[in-house]
Amino acid sequence: QVQLLESGGGLVQTGGSLRLSCLASGLPFREYGIGWFRQAPGKEREFVGGIGLSADKTDYSDSVKGRFTISRDNTKNTVYLQMSRLKPDDTAVYYCAGDRFLGFVATLKWQYEYWGQGTQVTVSS
């Protein structure tokens, strides 16, 4: 059974930092790209960033580029989303998702096969 489990969400002040984790099980982790998405109340789920099979393949949305960093540890089946200089607009439920890597970082929801349950991030002003 495939499972993606996010953790690390919480409440933080504007300008603060958080690190989210996505622990994967039940799939050949080294063959999967992992993406991060977020969904704010009343809004569509949007792509935040993603990582391919190695650290040199990453992609980010313009809204987080330069503030967020994605990394992966294949020995721990875990992908991390380091978020810095957080803003109230970053408030959302954050989801990780897995796709069998196609050679590029997928940015569309339908390209991902497996999803986690999400973790809430709230940035206070």
Side-chain angles (χ1 to χ4, degrees):
Q1 181 181 356
V2 175
Q3 186 174 18
L4 298 177
L5 183 62
E6 304 94 339
S7 61
L11 173 65
V12 64
Q13 291 185 332
T14 295
S17 300
L18 277 176
R19 189 178 78 160
L20 306 184
S21 300
C22 174
L23 173 63
S25 59
L27 52 75
F29 185 71
R30 294 174 187 267
E31 298 177 13
Y32 273 73
I34 300 294
W36 285 96
F37 290 75
R38 66 186 182 186
Q39 188 166 18
K43 294 188 176 181
E44 294 287 320
R45 191 171 300 188
E46 64 175 0
F47 174 76
V48 173
I51 188 166
L53 303 187
S54 60
D56 62 337
K57 282 198 182 293
T58 56
D59 193 12
Y60 300 92
S61 68
D62 288 343
S63 62
V64 307
K65 198 170 293 183
R67 299 189 297 123
F68 291 10
T69 303
I70 297 175
S71 60
R72 68 186 294 155
D73 185 342
N74 288 342
T75 66
K76 297 181 179 179
N77 282 14
T78 300
V79 168
Y80 303 99
L81 176 65
Q82 178 67 49
M83 306 185 293
S84 303
R85 291 184 281 142
L86 284 162
K87 309 173 184 178
D89 284 350
D90 295 318
T91 295
V93 177
Y94 283 70
Y95 300 87
C96 65
D99 76 311
R100 192 173 288 273
F101 191 60
L102 302 176
F104 57 90
V105 176
T107 63
L108 303 176
K109 294 187 296 291
W110 63 264
Q111 293 172 308
Y112 285 87
E113 186 176 0
Y114 300 109
W115 290 83
Q117 294 299 306
T119 185
Q120 176 70 45
V121 172
T122 303
V123 184
S124 63
S125 57

